[in-house]
Amino acid sequence: MGSKWRKAKLALGLNLCAYLPRTLDDDDDGYFSLPSTERLSDAALLSPLSSVNMAASGPMTPLPTANGLRLSKSLSRSASKSSKQTCSICLTKMKQGGGHAIFTAECSHSFHFHCIASNVKHGNQICPVCRAKWKEIPMQSPSLDPPLGRVAVNPVGWPQNDALMTVVRRLPPPRRDLSRRHVVPLFQAPEPGIFNDDESLDHLPVVAESTNASDNSSLRTIEIKTYPEVLEAPRSSSYNNFMILVHLKAAATVANQSSSRNHASLPQLYQNPRAPVDLVTVLDISGSMAGTKLALLKRAMGFVIQNLGSNDRLSVIAFSSTARRLFPLRRMSDVGRQQALHAVNSLVANGGTNIAEGLKKGAKVMEDRREKNPVASIILFSDGQDTYTVTGAGANKSQPNYQLLVPLSMHGSDNTGFQIPVHAFGFGADHDASSMHSISEISGGTFSFIETEAVLQDAFAQCIGGLLSVVVQELQVGVECMNPSLCLGLLKAGSYPSRVAADGKTGVIEVGDLYADEERDFLVSVKVPAESSECETSLLKVKCVYRDPLTKEMTTLESDDVRIRRPEVAGQEVVSIEVDRQRNRFQAAEAMAEARMTAELGDLPGAVSILENCRRVLSETVSAKSHDRLCIVLDAELKEMQERMASRHVYEASGRAYILSGLSSHSWQRATARGDSTDGSSLVQAYQTPSMVEMLTRSQAMLLGSPSTQRLVQPVWSLGSQPKPR
């Protein structure tokens, strides 16, 4: 028996350290000091049912020790039983009379019959638990479809381990100590047809009013600046492509002054609140995630859970061959955190990769919720390729349709913008960067490339650092020509939906959310005619309309008119370095996209040449000659991309993902993880905000075991949150 377990441990990568949460009232007996007969099996260590008898008397955190896992004796004994009660695929109980057939394989591991039949119908003949190759494969038949009613516990014709089946049937339900307050892991409950079981919100009331901030600069959440390409142009000259830069910057503080009257009666803790978040994480737990990858994912999720406030809500979807909601949207109170940590630490890697099913369930959580926090987002994590929707049977493998992976409710539109963005994280060399990038683009999120295992938690930290600092929502930027003889040309807005009216007099850019301190730069092209006698030409005006996420009030903010002087004879032309800098950024992004398309056609030398030409052009610009930092960053990034196109192997392993994560960052003007670093000092890192940097600092302090870790991992409090005793 011992040799079998050793083989199973090697196959699952369970010789590595994994951390399980414990409660403050657990005893301090070391798990590894127990006799070998009292220790848990490796499968039992990850069983979700091992948490049934854990109390909620204090906050749970993953507590590493020098020896790895520390578990109390009582937990060890209960978990060893529960590993045999739980289906390792759907993570729910297997019991007699439950209406589900139970299949016991020749390696003695048991599963719900419909779960394992779904798992093997795509050709998987390996046990999800011990990785043993089976000789006899269960096949799903219409009569065994679980939703249609009860079926025999032992399907006729399939080999059964009678001794094990007897144990499964005769195990009594776990006894509960009624004198203690218990945490009942919600992920054991069967999924309802409608996910309207989200935990109720309990926010402090904030009165909403409409505000016009144009007349009072102290009320502004957004700063607007405009820069014409040149400040003066000869009266006799006309321009078909005169560029104007529109620069926006969100406020550094989370609560703007316009709502101070609404918060005046609040305690000091709430004077500077932030908008609470509804977050759904969709996590890949396919077989390729076994071992170190899954352990690091659990650690990263533990960091996310610990840094959400008590008014933030979290739901976790785990997917492999199928997808399952581990628990509904729950507030991250002390009890909520405990349940979330239990659920995440119970995950076991097995099966295929069904990204579409995971996103479908994640979207359903958002669609069906009864109440809504102001900010909502989905985080998608995967290390592989979808083997069902895009590359499965019947799919067009030469031209995959990645839109099939994204539920229609998550598709953005030119008129309404994006509702629930998906921030996608591709892990390692084997993930499908094209599909993950497409998912993020379709939904309005970002794509991050996690090249090395050490960056996983930092990548998550950077993302939630932004999500926990939203200060502007539904931002719409309008531009209007102020001269009847002027006409708008192109609006350069990256991936943001934009449109120009048919008469060419007005244009709109749908921006959506802004994090605190985030900046956006858009280039507006204008056709400027010659002037007969005027000494000045009014070009355009910028108007921003946005919603405050806390007060819900809509605010309108207008800029001054953009004007240029029109002398009869102009002096030496001085090009705005601000305009030139952003023109270089757009040009570099266009070169990246063109090089990527060329590389996909198999012409790597041609792709490298496109990037080299762009570097040469940028080096001759005004901003480059002024040693502008953005120009230096762009050149370093283009050079890195050239190096990642050195060969087909290098491009497939990391080049494609690196370029796509760079394109995502530039097109949304938002920070993404790229390659093996999220270090803000790196030349190829851009768009990081102070909130992101702060969260990265917390993550790195935790990973380094800094003495300040306990202080740093305190949640960023949202409106209505209560401080935890120190």
Side-chain angles (χ1 to χ4, degrees), residues 198-227:
D198 51 301
E199 186 171 358
S200 177
L201 302 176
D202 187 22
H203 297 162
L204 295 177
V206 179
V207 179
E209 297 180 12
S210 294
T211 302
N212 191 312
S214 299
D215 300 328
N216 192 338
S217 59
S218 66
L219 303 182
R220 299 181 182 180
T221 305
I222 295 178
E223 179 184 22
I224 304 176
K225 291 183 178 180
T226 54
Y227 301 89

PDB file of all heavy atoms in Angstrom, residues 198-227:
ATOM      1  N   ASP A 198     -26.688  35.384  -3.480  1.00  0.00           N
ATOM      2  CA  ASP A 198     -25.583  36.231  -3.037  1.00  0.00           C
ATOM      3  C   ASP A 198     -25.906  36.846  -1.678  1.00  0.00           C
ATOM      4  O   ASP A 198     -27.055  37.165  -1.374  1.00  0.00           O
ATOM      5  CB  ASP A 198     -25.305  37.329  -4.068  1.00  0.00           C
ATOM      6  CG  ASP A 198     -26.548  38.116  -4.465  1.00  0.00           C
ATOM      7  OD1 ASP A 198     -27.501  37.475  -4.965  1.00  0.00           O
ATOM      8  OD2 ASP A 198     -26.569  39.347  -4.282  1.00  0.00           O
ATOM      9  N   GLU A 199     -24.863  37.004  -0.861  1.00  0.00           N
ATOM     10  CA  GLU A 199     -25.044  37.559   0.473  1.00  0.00           C
ATOM     11  C   GLU A 199     -25.464  39.018   0.381  1.00  0.00           C
ATOM     12  O   GLU A 199     -24.952  39.781  -0.441  1.00  0.00           O
ATOM     13  CB  GLU A 199     -23.750  37.433   1.276  1.00  0.00           C
ATOM     14  CG  GLU A 199     -23.896  37.855   2.724  1.00  0.00           C
ATOM     15  CD  GLU A 199     -22.686  37.526   3.571  1.00  0.00           C
ATOM     16  OE1 GLU A 199     -21.728  36.924   3.041  1.00  0.00           O
ATOM     17  OE2 GLU A 199     -22.692  37.864   4.764  1.00  0.00           O
ATOM     18  N   SER A 200     -26.394  39.402   1.250  1.00  0.00           N
ATOM     19  CA  SER A 200     -26.958  40.745   1.209  1.00  0.00           C
ATOM     20  C   SER A 200     -25.912  41.795   1.532  1.00  0.00           C
ATOM     21  O   SER A 200     -25.011  41.582   2.349  1.00  0.00           O
ATOM     22  CB  SER A 200     -28.120  40.837   2.200  1.00  0.00           C
ATOM     23  OG  SER A 200     -28.647  42.149   2.222  1.00  0.00           O
ATOM     24  N   LEU A 201     -26.025  42.945   0.875  1.00  0.00           N
ATOM     25  CA  LEU A 201     -25.135  44.071   1.134  1.00  0.00           C
ATOM     26  C   LEU A 201     -25.642  44.845   2.345  1.00  0.00           C
ATOM     27  O   LEU A 201     -26.827  44.890   2.633  1.00  0.00           O
ATOM     28  CB  LEU A 201     -25.072  45.002  -0.076  1.00  0.00           C
ATOM     29  CG  LEU A 201     -24.606  44.356  -1.388  1.00  0.00           C
ATOM     30  CD1 LEU A 201     -24.684  45.371  -2.520  1.00  0.00           C
ATOM     31  CD2 LEU A 201     -23.193  43.819  -1.256  1.00  0.00           C
ATOM     32  N   ASP A 202     -24.715  45.484   3.024  1.00  0.00           N
ATOM     33  CA  ASP A 202     -25.081  46.252   4.216  1.00  0.00           C
ATOM     34  C   ASP A 202     -24.269  47.529   4.244  1.00  0.00           C
ATOM     35  O   ASP A 202     -23.481  47.777   5.152  1.00  0.00           O
ATOM     36  CB  ASP A 202     -24.811  45.425   5.476  1.00  0.00           C
ATOM     37  CG  ASP A 202     -25.341  46.111   6.729  1.00  0.00           C
ATOM     38  OD1 ASP A 202     -26.227  46.960   6.597  1.00  0.00           O
ATOM     39  OD2 ASP A 202     -24.843  45.808   7.829  1.00  0.00           O
ATOM     40  N   HIS A 203     -24.457  48.367   3.211  1.00  0.00           N
ATOM     41  CA  HIS A 203     -23.666  49.590   3.080  1.00  0.00           C
ATOM     42  C   HIS A 203     -24.316  50.748   3.824  1.00  0.00           C
ATOM     43  O   HIS A 203     -25.528  50.813   3.975  1.00  0.00           O
ATOM     44  CB  HIS A 203     -23.525  49.982   1.609  1.00  0.00           C
ATOM     45  CG  HIS A 203     -22.780  48.973   0.808  1.00  0.00           C
ATOM     46  ND1 HIS A 203     -22.835  48.924  -0.559  1.00  0.00           N
ATOM     47  CD2 HIS A 203     -21.956  47.970   1.183  1.00  0.00           C
ATOM     48  CE1 HIS A 203     -22.080  47.936  -0.993  1.00  0.00           C
ATOM     49  NE2 HIS A 203     -21.540  47.352   0.037  1.00  0.00           N
ATOM     50  N   LEU A 204     -23.475  51.676   4.232  1.00  0.00           N
ATOM     51  CA  LEU A 204     -24.005  52.913   4.782  1.00  0.00           C
ATOM     52  C   LEU A 204     -24.652  53.713   3.667  1.00  0.00           C
ATOM     53  O   LEU A 204     -24.133  53.782   2.562  1.00  0.00           O
ATOM     54  CB  LEU A 204     -22.876  53.723   5.420  1.00  0.00           C
ATOM     55  CG  LEU A 204     -22.225  53.075   6.653  1.00  0.00           C
ATOM     56  CD1 LEU A 204     -21.073  53.952   7.128  1.00  0.00           C
ATOM     57  CD2 LEU A 204     -23.230  52.893   7.761  1.00  0.00           C
ATOM     58  N   PRO A 205     -25.813  54.338   3.920  1.00  0.00           N
ATOM     59  CA  PRO A 205     -26.497  55.077   2.852  1.00  0.00           C
ATOM     60  C   PRO A 205     -25.729  56.306   2.418  1.00  0.00           C
ATOM     61  O   PRO A 205     -25.138  57.017   3.227  1.00  0.00           O
ATOM     62  CB  PRO A 205     -27.835  55.466   3.504  1.00  0.00           C
ATOM     63  CG  PRO A 205     -27.530  55.504   4.966  1.00  0.00           C
ATOM     64  CD  PRO A 205     -26.511  54.430   5.210  1.00  0.00           C
ATOM     65  N   VAL A 206     -25.720  56.549   1.098  1.00  0.00           N
ATOM     66  CA  VAL A 206     -25.105  57.747   0.531  1.00  0.00           C
ATOM     67  C   VAL A 206     -26.111  58.378  -0.419  1.00  0.00           C
ATOM     68  O   VAL A 206     -26.618  57.721  -1.320  1.00  0.00           O
ATOM     69  CB  VAL A 206     -23.801  57.402  -0.223  1.00  0.00           C
ATOM     70  CG1 VAL A 206     -23.197  58.662  -0.823  1.00  0.00           C
ATOM     71  CG2 VAL A 206     -22.805  56.735   0.715  1.00  0.00           C
ATOM     72  N   VAL A 207     -26.421  59.651  -0.215  1.00  0.00           N
ATOM     73  CA  VAL A 207     -27.424  60.337  -1.021  1.00  0.00           C
ATOM     74  C   VAL A 207     -26.832  60.698  -2.372  1.00  0.00           C
ATOM     75  O   VAL A 207     -25.714  61.199  -2.460  1.00  0.00           O
ATOM     76  CB  VAL A 207     -27.916  61.603  -0.303  1.00  0.00           C
ATOM     77  CG1 VAL A 207     -28.950  62.323  -1.149  1.00  0.00           C
ATOM     78  CG2 VAL A 207     -28.483  61.242   1.060  1.00  0.00           C
ATOM     79  N   ALA A 208     -27.568  60.435  -3.440  1.00  0.00           N
ATOM     80  CA  ALA A 208     -27.090  60.743  -4.791  1.00  0.00           C
ATOM     81  C   ALA A 208     -27.719  62.026  -5.299  1.00  0.00           C
ATOM     82  O   ALA A 208     -28.914  62.240  -5.170  1.00  0.00           O
ATOM     83  CB  ALA A 208     -27.418  59.592  -5.732  1.00  0.00           C
ATOM     84  N   GLU A 209     -26.906  62.880  -5.848  1.00  0.00           N
ATOM     85  CA  GLU A 209     -27.394  64.099  -6.478  1.00  0.00           C
ATOM     86  C   GLU A 209     -26.612  64.332  -7.760  1.00  0.00           C
ATOM     87  O   GLU A 209     -25.493  63.869  -7.901  1.00  0.00           O
ATOM     88  CB  GLU A 209     -27.195  65.310  -5.550  1.00  0.00           C
ATOM     89  CG  GLU A 209     -27.983  65.238  -4.250  1.00  0.00           C
ATOM     90  CD  GLU A 209     -27.733  66.458  -3.383  1.00  0.00           C
ATOM     91  OE1 GLU A 209     -27.141  67.426  -3.909  1.00  0.00           O
ATOM     92  OE2 GLU A 209     -28.128  66.449  -2.217  1.00  0.00           O
ATOM     93  N   SER A 210     -27.208  65.083  -8.677  1.00  0.00           N
ATOM     94  CA  SER A 210     -26.486  65.448  -9.894  1.00  0.00           C
ATOM     95  C   SER A 210     -25.641  66.687  -9.621  1.00  0.00           C
ATOM     96  O   SER A 210     -26.050  67.589  -8.898  1.00  0.00           O
ATOM     97  CB  SER A 210     -27.465  65.727 -11.040  1.00  0.00           C
ATOM     98  OG  SER A 210     -28.135  64.543 -11.382  1.00  0.00           O
ATOM     99  N   THR A 211     -24.456  66.710 -10.207  1.00  0.00           N
ATOM    100  CA  THR A 211     -23.517  67.802  -9.938  1.00  0.00           C
ATOM    101  C   THR A 211     -22.881  68.254 -11.232  1.00  0.00           C
ATOM    102  O   THR A 211     -22.548  67.443 -12.080  1.00  0.00           O
ATOM    103  CB  THR A 211     -22.407  67.323  -8.967  1.00  0.00           C
ATOM    104  OG1 THR A 211     -23.022  66.871  -7.767  1.00  0.00           O
ATOM    105  CG2 THR A 211     -21.445  68.446  -8.641  1.00  0.00           C
ATOM    106  N   ASN A 212     -22.705  69.567 -11.366  1.00  0.00           N
ATOM    107  CA  ASN A 212     -21.897  70.101 -12.451  1.00  0.00           C
ATOM    108  C   ASN A 212     -20.640  70.682 -11.830  1.00  0.00           C
ATOM    109  O   ASN A 212     -20.691  71.659 -11.095  1.00  0.00           O
ATOM    110  CB  ASN A 212     -22.655  71.182 -13.221  1.00  0.00           C
ATOM    111  CG  ASN A 212     -21.934  71.561 -14.511  1.00  0.00           C
ATOM    112  OD1 ASN A 212     -20.738  71.809 -14.507  1.00  0.00           O
ATOM    113  ND2 ASN A 212     -22.691  71.588 -15.601  1.00  0.00           N
ATOM    114  N   ALA A 213     -19.500  70.025 -12.112  1.00  0.00           N
ATOM    115  CA  ALA A 213     -18.255  70.385 -11.446  1.00  0.00           C
ATOM    116  C   ALA A 213     -17.461  71.439 -12.192  1.00  0.00           C
ATOM    117  O   ALA A 213     -16.378  71.801 -11.780  1.00  0.00           O
ATOM    118  CB  ALA A 213     -17.401  69.131 -11.264  1.00  0.00           C
ATOM    119  N   SER A 214     -17.983  71.961 -13.273  1.00  0.00           N
ATOM    120  CA  SER A 214     -17.197  72.866 -14.105  1.00  0.00           C
ATOM    121  C   SER A 214     -16.839  74.158 -13.387  1.00  0.00           C
ATOM    122  O   SER A 214     -15.802  74.754 -13.640  1.00  0.00           O
ATOM    123  CB  SER A 214     -17.965  73.190 -15.391  1.00  0.00           C
ATOM    124  OG  SER A 214     -18.208  72.012 -16.118  1.00  0.00           O
ATOM    125  N   ASP A 215     -17.724  74.613 -12.477  1.00  0.00           N
ATOM    126  CA  ASP A 215     -17.518  75.919 -11.866  1.00  0.00           C
ATOM    127  C   ASP A 215     -16.702  75.867 -10.579  1.00  0.00           C
ATOM    128  O   ASP A 215     -16.434  76.892  -9.978  1.00  0.00           O
ATOM    129  CB  ASP A 215     -18.884  76.562 -11.567  1.00  0.00           C
ATOM    130  CG  ASP A 215     -19.693  76.739 -12.835  1.00  0.00           C
ATOM    131  OD1 ASP A 215     -19.066  76.962 -13.889  1.00  0.00           O
ATOM    132  OD2 ASP A 215     -20.924  76.639 -12.763  1.00  0.00           O
ATOM    133  N   ASN A 216     -16.323  74.690 -10.134  1.00  0.00           N
ATOM    134  CA  ASN A 216     -15.598  74.578  -8.868  1.00  0.00           C
ATOM    135  C   ASN A 216     -14.547  73.496  -8.988  1.00  0.00           C
ATOM    136  O   ASN A 216     -14.863  72.310  -8.993  1.00  0.00           O
ATOM    137  CB  ASN A 216     -16.579  74.259  -7.735  1.00  0.00           C
ATOM    138  CG  ASN A 216     -15.925  74.432  -6.372  1.00  0.00           C
ATOM    139  OD1 ASN A 216     -14.702  74.390  -6.243  1.00  0.00           O
ATOM    140  ND2 ASN A 216     -16.757  74.628  -5.353  1.00  0.00           N
ATOM    141  N   SER A 217     -13.284  73.890  -9.076  1.00  0.00           N
ATOM    142  CA  SER A 217     -12.218  72.915  -9.287  1.00  0.00           C
ATOM    143  C   SER A 217     -12.072  71.964  -8.112  1.00  0.00           C
ATOM    144  O   SER A 217     -11.553  70.862  -8.260  1.00  0.00           O
ATOM    145  CB  SER A 217     -10.889  73.638  -9.532  1.00  0.00           C
ATOM    146  OG  SER A 217     -10.567  74.456  -8.420  1.00  0.00           O
ATOM    147  N   SER A 218     -12.530  72.374  -6.909  1.00  0.00           N
ATOM    148  CA  SER A 218     -12.393  71.503  -5.747  1.00  0.00           C
ATOM    149  C   SER A 218     -13.325  70.305  -5.811  1.00  0.00           C
ATOM    150  O   SER A 218     -13.188  69.369  -5.043  1.00  0.00           O
ATOM    151  CB  SER A 218     -12.664  72.295  -4.461  1.00  0.00           C
ATOM    152  OG  SER A 218     -14.023  72.720  -4.423  1.00  0.00           O
ATOM    153  N   LEU A 219     -14.316  70.343  -6.735  1.00  0.00           N
ATOM    154  CA  LEU A 219     -15.264  69.248  -6.853  1.00  0.00           C
ATOM    155  C   LEU A 219     -14.846  68.219  -7.893  1.00  0.00           C
ATOM    156  O   LEU A 219     -15.558  67.255  -8.115  1.00  0.00           O
ATOM    157  CB  LEU A 219     -16.647  69.798  -7.226  1.00  0.00           C
ATOM    158  CG  LEU A 219     -17.254  70.847  -6.281  1.00  0.00           C
ATOM    159  CD1 LEU A 219     -18.629  71.242  -6.784  1.00  0.00           C
ATOM    160  CD2 LEU A 219     -17.329  70.330  -4.859  1.00  0.00           C
ATOM    161  N   ARG A 220     -13.727  68.427  -8.534  1.00  0.00           N
ATOM    162  CA  ARG A 220     -13.386  67.601  -9.689  1.00  0.00           C
ATOM    163  C   ARG A 220     -12.715  66.295  -9.290  1.00  0.00           C
ATOM    164  O   ARG A 220     -11.774  66.276  -8.515  1.00  0.00           O
ATOM    165  CB  ARG A 220     -12.473  68.380 -10.634  1.00  0.00           C
ATOM    166  CG  ARG A 220     -13.124  69.648 -11.183  1.00  0.00           C
ATOM    167  CD  ARG A 220     -12.203  70.388 -12.130  1.00  0.00           C
ATOM    168  NE  ARG A 220     -12.833  71.625 -12.607  1.00  0.00           N
ATOM    169  CZ  ARG A 220     -12.253  72.459 -13.448  1.00  0.00           C
ATOM    170  NH1 ARG A 220     -11.030  72.221 -13.889  1.00  0.00           N
ATOM    171  NH2 ARG A 220     -12.885  73.551 -13.842  1.00  0.00           N
ATOM    172  N   THR A 221     -13.193  65.200  -9.867  1.00  0.00           N
ATOM    173  CA  THR A 221     -12.555  63.903  -9.704  1.00  0.00           C
ATOM    174  C   THR A 221     -11.606  63.638 -10.863  1.00  0.00           C
ATOM    175  O   THR A 221     -10.707  62.822 -10.748  1.00  0.00           O
ATOM    176  CB  THR A 221     -13.626  62.787  -9.648  1.00  0.00           C
ATOM    177  OG1 THR A 221     -14.545  63.099  -8.613  1.00  0.00           O
ATOM    178  CG2 THR A 221     -12.999  61.445  -9.359  1.00  0.00           C
ATOM    179  N   ILE A 222     -11.826  64.323 -11.984  1.00  0.00           N
ATOM    180  CA  ILE A 222     -10.991  64.152 -13.181  1.00  0.00           C
ATOM    181  C   ILE A 222     -10.377  65.492 -13.566  1.00  0.00           C
ATOM    182  O   ILE A 222     -11.055  66.527 -13.551  1.00  0.00           O
ATOM    183  CB  ILE A 222     -11.822  63.602 -14.363  1.00  0.00           C
ATOM    184  CG1 ILE A 222     -12.328  62.202 -14.055  1.00  0.00           C
ATOM    185  CG2 ILE A 222     -11.001  63.593 -15.647  1.00  0.00           C
ATOM    186  CD1 ILE A 222     -13.197  61.615 -15.136  1.00  0.00           C
ATOM    187  N   GLU A 223      -9.115  65.465 -13.909  1.00  0.00           N
ATOM    188  CA  GLU A 223      -8.429  66.638 -14.422  1.00  0.00           C
ATOM    189  C   GLU A 223      -8.312  66.504 -15.943  1.00  0.00           C
ATOM    190  O   GLU A 223      -7.903  65.456 -16.438  1.00  0.00           O
ATOM    191  CB  GLU A 223      -7.037  66.747 -13.794  1.00  0.00           C
ATOM    192  CG  GLU A 223      -6.233  67.930 -14.275  1.00  0.00           C
ATOM    193  CD  GLU A 223      -4.824  67.939 -13.706  1.00  0.00           C
ATOM    194  OE1 GLU A 223      -4.327  66.866 -13.297  1.00  0.00           O
ATOM    195  OE2 GLU A 223      -4.207  69.022 -13.689  1.00  0.00           O
ATOM    196  N   ILE A 224      -8.689  67.555 -16.678  1.00  0.00           N
ATOM    197  CA  ILE A 224      -8.628  67.553 -18.139  1.00  0.00           C
ATOM    198  C   ILE A 224      -7.567  68.535 -18.598  1.00  0.00           C
ATOM    199  O   ILE A 224      -7.564  69.699 -18.183  1.00  0.00           O
ATOM    200  CB  ILE A 224      -9.985  67.934 -18.776  1.00  0.00           C
ATOM    201  CG1 ILE A 224     -11.106  67.025 -18.289  1.00  0.00           C
ATOM    202  CG2 ILE A 224      -9.884  67.884 -20.296  1.00  0.00           C
ATOM    203  CD1 ILE A 224     -12.478  67.429 -18.811  1.00  0.00           C
ATOM    204  N   LYS A 225      -6.677  68.086 -19.465  1.00  0.00           N
ATOM    205  CA  LYS A 225      -5.708  68.960 -20.105  1.00  0.00           C
ATOM    206  C   LYS A 225      -5.720  68.685 -21.604  1.00  0.00           C
ATOM    207  O   LYS A 225      -5.915  67.541 -22.026  1.00  0.00           O
ATOM    208  CB  LYS A 225      -4.297  68.735 -19.551  1.00  0.00           C
ATOM    209  CG  LYS A 225      -4.105  69.184 -18.108  1.00  0.00           C
ATOM    210  CD  LYS A 225      -2.660  69.000 -17.669  1.00  0.00           C
ATOM    211  CE  LYS A 225      -2.450  69.486 -16.241  1.00  0.00           C
ATOM    212  NZ  LYS A 225      -1.043  69.307 -15.800  1.00  0.00           N
ATOM    213  N   THR A 226      -5.514  69.717 -22.379  1.00  0.00           N
ATOM    214  CA  THR A 226      -5.457  69.559 -23.836  1.00  0.00           C
ATOM    215  C   THR A 226      -4.173  70.190 -24.368  1.00  0.00           C
ATOM    216  O   THR A 226      -3.712  71.219 -23.847  1.00  0.00           O
ATOM    217  CB  THR A 226      -6.674  70.218 -24.513  1.00  0.00           C
ATOM    218  OG1 THR A 226      -6.765  71.588 -24.091  1.00  0.00           O
ATOM    219  CG2 THR A 226      -7.960  69.477 -24.149  1.00  0.00           C
ATOM    220  N   TYR A 227      -3.623  69.582 -25.419  1.00  0.00           N
ATOM    221  CA  TYR A 227      -2.372  70.062 -26.009  1.00  0.00           C
ATOM    222  C   TYR A 227      -2.500  70.031 -27.535  1.00  0.00           C
ATOM    223  O   TYR A 227      -2.593  68.943 -28.122  1.00  0.00           O
ATOM    224  CB  TYR A 227      -1.189  69.180 -25.607  1.00  0.00           C
ATOM    225  CG  TYR A 227      -0.952  69.083 -24.112  1.00  0.00           C
ATOM    226  CD1 TYR A 227      -1.588  68.105 -23.353  1.00  0.00           C
ATOM    227  CD2 TYR A 227      -0.090  69.963 -23.478  1.00  0.00           C
ATOM    228  CE1 TYR A 227      -1.368  68.000 -21.991  1.00  0.00           C
ATOM    229  CE2 TYR A 227       0.153  69.866 -22.106  1.00  0.00           C
ATOM    230  CZ  TYR A 227      -0.496  68.883 -21.375  1.00  0.00           C
ATOM    231  OH  TYR A 227      -0.272  68.783 -20.020  1.00  0.00           O
TER     232      TYR A 227
END
